Amino acid sequence: MAMTTLPTPADLNITPRDRRFGRETAAPRLWHDGRVEATAIYNALSTTFPAGEAFFVESVRAFREGAPAKLADEIKGFTTQEAIHSREHDAFNKRATRSGYDLSKLEEQVEKRLAITRGKPAVVSLAATMALEHFTAILAHQLLADPSHLDGAEAETADLWRWHAVEEIEHKGVAYDSWLFATRDWPRWKRWKVKAKVMLYVTRNFVVDRTAGALELMRQDGVTGVRAWSLLLSYLWVRPGMFRKIAGAWFRFFLPGFHPWNEDDRHLLAAYSPIASGDDPKRKVRSAG
Ligand SMILES: [Fe+2]
Ligand SMILES: [Fe+2]
């Protein structure tokens, strides 16, 4: 099958921005609006990034060889961006640890999930990455589209999340295009069946694990039981309602002809202030290897 009709925009720039956050300012333990549940869910998410994004890099890089030049180039931009995200979220997680959270249970759960794909064919890891990258991209879209998600967050920490969201949107098609390339000889129905199964599987794990992780961190703040559940569920599903607001974009993944770039949402990147002010450094950064 020809690879010439990919909808990834021809003028797309995947720009690794080698920024560092929170090295000088001390964010409070409850950095997100002083709220236990808001801080907990973002901290739980951040806990997954260092190991999770290293796994994405490995999974996609395995298919770089033989890929068309444009895709190979995008893979390079993708791996560099993700490597820097891992570094910054590792630093973020260390600050959470210094402010008293014990993240070890959450980290063990991430390792447990990643261990399942080890020993399976490389295309299984690529499929999981492709599904999770769609998940990340729709979370990023929502985070930038609706500023209420970061209302009251400590300024530099909010910037870290916006910076990450910007780059997730820029590289949202890379794992998907790698998947299309890797499965170019598969019949359509098989491609769809595998991608749908994998998406349902990773979504279930994502929702269950992040909820459990957030509840564990809330427990460390002394909030438990019905009160913890109602605070968290209302935050995720009602207001600001991140999970409710991404539901439509999540469903579109299953439609025929889906591609992450069917929606060009690059106008949202301006929610990250260096881009809005034209101050976005396009400097060359060291490659992730
Ligand atoms: Fe990332
Ligand atoms: Fe990503």
Side-chain angles (χ1 to χ4, degrees):
M1 187 185 290
M3 293 287 294
T4 48
T5 52
L6 296 179
T8 299
D11 64 340
L12 175 70
N13 261 319
I14 299 178
T15 309
R17 300 164 183 81
D18 193 0
R19 278 203 60 186
R20 285 167 196 268
F21 298 87
R23 302 299 202 279
E24 271 125 54
T25 48
R29 173 174 164 120
L30 296 179
W31 61 268
H32 201 151
D33 201 23
R35 295 168 68 170
V36 169
E37 74 284 17
T39 303
I41 189 66
Y42 282 83
N43 284 5
L45 196 54
S46 181
T47 307
T48 69
F49 287 140
E53 299 202 301
F55 166 79
F56 295 170
V57 165
E58 249 176 70
S59 307
V60 171
R61 198 188 269 157
F63 291 90
R64 188 167 173 231
E65 201 159 312
K70 181 169 183 281
L71 179 58
D73 243 29
E74 287 171 3
I75 291 175
K76 195 160 177 236
F78 164 83
T79 56
T80 308
Q81 285 188 334
E82 295 293 35
I84 302 172
H85 300 169
S86 282
R87 182 194 76 201
E88 285 312 295
H89 281 275
D90 185 55
F92 174 94
N93 297 345
K94 289 201 168 87
R95 294 194 292 279
T97 302
R98 277 201 300 278
S99 68
Y101 290 112
D102 177 5
L103 304 178
S104 56
K105 259 195 188 164
L106 283 71
E107 284 164 351
E108 278 164 27
Q109 184 61 16
V110 174
E111 280 308 322
K112 206 183 104 188
R113 294 292 187 204
L114 294 178
I116 296 170
T117 62
R118 290 196 184 108
K120 295 210 164 137
V123 76
V124 174
S125 296
L126 181 64
T129 299
M130 173 272 289
L132 283 163
E133 278 285 291
H134 178 59
F135 223 98
T136 322
I138 62 181
L139 288 167
H141 175 105
Q142 183 50 228
L143 191 83
L144 297 177
D146 182 351
S148 76
H149 292 294
L150 287 168
D151 268 356
E154 188 270 331
E156 192 160 333
T157 313
D159 232 23
L160 159 71
W161 287 93
R162 284 194 207 97
W163 161 83
H164 194 164
V166 157
E167 299 199 342
E168 288 306 319
I169 288 180
E170 282 181 344
H171 73 228
K172 68 178 179 171
V174 178
Y176 202 84
D177 287 343
S178 302
W179 156 260
L180 290 179
F181 176 68
T183 61
R184 62 196 178 282
D185 297 327
W186 291 20
R188 278 180 66 149
W189 66 268
K190 182 186 176 190
R191 248 190 193 169
W192 187 84
K193 200 175 80 178
V194 170
K195 101 171 196 178
K197 260 173 86 170
V198 168
M199 187 49 139
L200 291 172
Y201 180 75
V202 303
T203 300
R204 181 224 165 250
N205 291 347
F206 183 90
V207 172
V208 169
D209 290 356
R210 294 308 79 72
T211 304
L215 287 169
E216 163 62 17
L217 297 178
M218 293 174 78
R219 186 191 64 75
Q220 296 179 20
D221 276 317
V223 181
T224 57
V226 177
R227 186 171 142 69
W229 274 100
S230 63
L231 278 173
L232 185 63
L233 291 181
S234 132
Y235 187 79
L236 290 174
W237 294 95
V238 184
R239 198 165 54 192
M242 177 62 91
F243 283 5
R244 173 174 52 84
K245 287 172 177 167
I246 63 172
W250 182 85
F251 274 113
R252 283 198 284 282
F253 180 82
F254 298 92
L255 297 179
F258 167 82
H259 187 278
W261 283 109
N262 286 351
E263 184 183 6
D264 187 347
D265 49 359
R266 283 179 291 171
H267 63 281
L268 293 176
L269 307 192
Y272 171 62
S273 56
I275 292 181
S277 65
D279 206 17
D280 185 36
K282 302 243 156 154
R283 93 192 119 99
K284 229 178 140 55
V285 291
R286 148 193 66 76
S287 157

